[in-house]
Amino acid sequence: MTQLRPFTVSALIAGTALAPVMALVLVAAPATPARAQQQPQPQQQAVEWTPRRLDQLDRNVRRLERAVTQRNAAGVPVIIETDPEVVILQGVVSDMQRRLSDIEATVQRMNGDIERLTFANDEAQRDNAAMRRLLTDSNTRITALEGQLEAVAEANAPIVADSPTGDARQDFDRAIRLANAQDVRAQRALEVFVITWPDAAQAREANYRLGDLRAAAGDQTGAVQAYASALSGWPRTSWAPDATIKLASGLDATDRNTQACAAVREFFQRYGEGAPTTLINRARQIRERAECPA
């Protein structure tokens, strides 16, 4: 029986880190395949895989492949024994793979929990936004209601002489702004103005505007009083013709026909010339309704 010289990987790739990993033993074909004895390898330092070393490793592997092919072609069986360190390494890799699978499953569960928490957080944010809108709307309504209550309280307060600004012009402008805005405080503001500034230049117009507010509220008696005060001395203002017709209408509505006829007569005498057609027609209607003498 002829025994051939063992063929080992370390013989081909001496100087590389592959020698401690595995050993190849080639034995003659006729004899019973015998396992090559593993040669103990000394401890080696970690190899720094530079491009030069990688090229050398590639060349040695190719040489090994050619040698194995030649042996197989010659009918010499090749027995490869795995290095124990490789077995250990495979076990470590298998364990790492299991751990990696566990980590992946944990990450998937965490992702599911995060998605559920994100959805719950979005729902909570929408609920909070709706609550903030509701609170804002409630605060706005409460503020508006408080303002209305204050306005009503001010409108129903006793009428006494008082000047909010200390100036007749400014007090008048404030009262007119309230009247134009249809504020419930407008009537009281005008009433306070006419008793606080009876001799002011704006007092006549304030009475005229006060008469309009009273008439709109259904207080014809109060309206007549305000219009009469506004027309004291029969002013030549742009609103005087309208105030005269409204005075006549109020007198007619309160069954004071004689006074209504007198107001219509004053209208034609003082303001009829150049008066708007609408006022002239209203004056004629009042005269007919009150049965005024020709």
Side-chain angles (χ1 to χ4, degrees):
M1 181 178 62
T2 303
Q3 184 174 0
L4 298 179
R5 182 175 58 86
F7 183 81
T8 64
V9 178
S10 59
L12 289 174
I13 55 176
T16 71
L18 191 61
V21 177
M22 70 170 61
L24 287 176
V25 179
L26 303 179
V27 296
T32 302
R35 293 182 178 276
Q37 297 295 326
Q38 290 187 354
Q39 301 296 326
Q41 298 297 328
Q43 294 287 340
Q44 295 185 3
Q45 296 181 351
V47 178
E48 181 180 356
W49 290 103
T50 63
R52 181 175 175 277
R53 282 183 179 272
L54 291 173
D55 291 340
Q56 183 181 0
L57 176 61
D58 181 67
R59 288 194 301 270
N60 290 339
V61 170
R62 293 180 183 276
R63 289 173 58 193
L64 177 60
E65 290 175 346
R66 288 195 298 270
V68 171
T69 302
Q70 292 172 1
R71 292 283 183 173
N72 288 335
V76 180
V78 178
I79 300 175
I80 301 176
E81 290 187 352
T82 304
D83 193 293
E85 293 184 1
V86 174
V87 176
I88 296 173
L89 181 59
Q90 289 175 342
V92 172
V93 171
S94 178
D95 183 63
M96 291 179 63
Q97 288 177 342
R98 286 194 299 271
R99 292 185 179 183
L100 180 59
S101 298
D102 293 340
I103 292 174
E104 289 178 348
T106 301
V107 170
Q108 289 178 355
R109 289 193 300 271
M110 292 177 63
N111 287 338
D113 293 339
I114 290 173
E115 289 180 359
R116 287 190 294 272
L117 290 174
T118 300
F119 178 78
N121 183 59
D122 291 341
E123 287 290 325
Q125 288 182 348
R126 284 192 289 270
D127 292 342
N128 290 337
M131 184 62 70
R132 283 194 296 269
R133 289 193 296 269
L134 180 60
L135 290 175
T136 300
D137 183 62
S138 298
N139 288 335
T140 302
R141 292 185 178 183
I142 291 173
T143 300
L145 181 59
E146 289 176 345
Q148 292 175 2
L149 291 175
E150 291 177 358
V152 171
E154 181 179 346
N156 294 328
I159 306 299
V160 294
D162 182 33
S163 174
T165 67
D167 179 77
R169 179 77 253 181
Q170 295 184 32
D171 287 353
F172 175 76
D173 291 342
R174 174 180 176 273
I176 295 302
R177 283 195 301 270
L178 292 174
N180 292 337
Q182 298 182 347
D183 194 299
V184 295
R185 297 169 294 180
Q187 182 172 327
R188 181 181 183 279
L190 289 169
E191 291 171 345
V192 170
F193 179 86
V194 296
I195 66 172
T196 303
W197 307 99
D199 299 325
Q202 300 83 11
R204 293 178 184 273
E205 185 176 356
N207 274 296
Y208 164 63
R209 298 297 296 269
L210 178 58
D212 288 347
L213 292 179
R214 288 176 175 174
D219 182 12
Q220 291 294 343
T221 300
V224 167
Q225 180 182 359
Y227 289 135
S229 298
L231 292 169
S232 177
W234 300 106
R236 305 295 296 184
T237 61
S238 59
W239 48 263
D242 181 67
T244 305
I245 295 300
K246 289 177 178 178
L247 172 62
S249 177
L251 291 169
D252 178 59
T254 55
D255 296 326
R256 287 179 280 184
N257 294 345
T258 301
Q259 293 174 311
C261 293
V264 170
R265 186 168 54 253
E266 292 292 340
F267 168 78
F268 282 110
Q269 291 179 354
R270 298 180 182 277
Y271 311 114
E273 185 178 353
T277 304
T278 54
L279 292 181
I280 294 174
N281 291 336
R282 288 176 59 191
R284 290 172 179 170
Q285 292 172 359
I286 294 171
R287 184 167 59 186
E288 292 177 2
R289 191 166 52 248
E291 298 180 352
C292 298

